[in-house]
Amino acid sequence: MNILLLGSGGREHALAWRLAQSRLLANDGDTLYAAPGNPGIAAHATCVKLDAADHAAVLAFCEEQRIGLVVVGPEAPLVDGLADSLRGAGVPVFGPSQAAAQLEGSKGFTKDLCARANIPTGGYARVSSHAAAMAALARFGAPVVIKADGLAAGKGVTVAMTMAEAEAAVADIFAGRFGAAGAEAVIEEFLEGEEASFFALTDGHTVVPFASAQDHKRVGDGDTGPNTGGMGAYSPARVLTPALEAEALTRIIVPTVKTLADEGMPYSGVLFLGLMLTATGPQLIEYNCRFGDPETQVMLMRLESDLGELLLACAENRLAAVEPPRFSPDTALTVVMAAQGYPGTPKQGGTIGGIAAAEAGGARVFHAGTTLNDDVLVASGGRVLNVTARGRTVTEAQAAAYAAVDALDFPDGFCRRDIGWREVAREKGG
């Protein structure tokens, strides 16, 4: 069959790499399309110009090219209802409806659902004005978490350790820094513990666990500096033990899927849980309605199942009929190479070389923010490359990933040098 992948980042490069290996594309003439794609994705897919916000254009392309599966990478098209348009036209799509995608599109929606379904999460207040937010801050005190309610490209969340930081975050939100995403805000209880990410696939009825990972959000070594979209990750996150995964599945994921189905908005796609592993068990920090970035890169380095068949089974409401995903016991670790200035104003246009040398030892370099300028590969985003490697342990995977990083020629790039540090310390007995 023909498959259409929407997106242009490192997550989509990893998805394209794995989808290109699917039996769904085994016949002559089967084509993987990517819109808009990037220079790395172009090695695995036919890149086309197609605006995911133009539903009519996407539907026309699917009809013209006889698309049998659409995989939506980023969250914005899902929150915009693209999956509804595709399903309405009879096109199988991996990704939730607009109503179900509110799990990511509105943090207040998710917190209210947790309250209805008795899902463990921090206490919260939904506010729609600066005055109401300040009153909520007075109740919660510091430390406290402040979130713009809507999609803010991963930048609408502040973990404020002091009241001054909290008040500044509230002022930013209601001064319009995040546009429509900040029309409302959520003030949340600060949870103590270690964070981990957990992913599950669902067709709205059947739920199967996918994999775990641990992201590194702060820009600097030692988890210092401002939050980013993610500076690196590793999988599996062994701090999320099988017992804790089972608890997250039964107490958080299954009740979420059941509540959404009972309320007339069944969820089909991947559920991405941000979890805090507290002294009383896993608590939900947030939901995302798509695969994570850079978590996808490390999970797919470990995946041994056919990704295309899994995603199509979700889209066709027959997940129970396929074998659950299988993963290598190895660790995969990815290091994000970012452009100088990120997460502020990144420097654009820096030349990139050495990718073949970086991949010579078995690592993979996923393109996250690159473009070709007269056949020269240059940086065109904040997060530019995801250098990903495997090893029997986190320590081995970390060493392999940084060896690949050091083979790159990207003078305008930088990275953290401690991705996986918590687990490396645990492996060393520290």
Side-chain angles (χ1 to χ4, degrees), residues 144-177:
V144 66
V145 182
I146 298 97
K147 298 179 178 179
D149 182 71
L151 296 181
K155 297 185 176 114
V157 177
T158 300
V159 180
M161 303 309 293
T162 67
M163 286 299 285
E165 289 177 321
E167 290 167 2
V170 165
D172 277 349
I173 289 173
F174 288 104
R177 179 180 175 188

Side-chain angles (χ1 to χ4, degrees), residues 295-368:
E295 295 94 341
T296 302
Q297 291 84 316
V298 288
M299 293 190 300
L300 295 190
M301 281 288 281
R302 298 179 51 236
L303 181 68
E304 295 178 338
S305 300
D306 187 313
L307 180 65
E309 291 185 346
L310 285 166
L311 304 191
L312 183 62
C314 283
E316 294 184 339
N317 193 27
R318 51 179 182 81
L319 189 57
V322 300
E323 183 182 332
R326 300 183 316 279
F327 290 87
S328 164
D330 284 355
T331 290
L333 184 144
T334 191
V335 177
V336 171
M337 291 293 295
Q340 293 291 344
Y342 179 78
T345 303
K347 183 176 181 180
Q348 304 291 287
T351 59
I352 301 165
I355 288 180
E359 293 187 331
R364 296 206 66 87
V365 179
F366 296 112
H367 293 229

Side-chain angles (χ1 to χ4, degrees), residues 33-93:
Y33 294 97
N38 66 36
I41 292 171
H44 314 288
T46 299
C47 294
V48 295
K49 292 182 179 179
L50 194 61
D51 181 3
D54 186 342
H55 295 197
V58 174
L59 290 173
F61 182 86
C62 290
E63 183 177 0
E64 291 165 6
Q65 303 301 329
R66 303 185 306 281
I67 298 297
L69 174 65
V70 176
V71 178
V72 184
E75 64 275 14
L78 296 168
V79 173
D80 186 46
L82 178 60
D84 301 85
S85 297
L86 289 163
R87 287 193 182 96
V91 180
V93 55

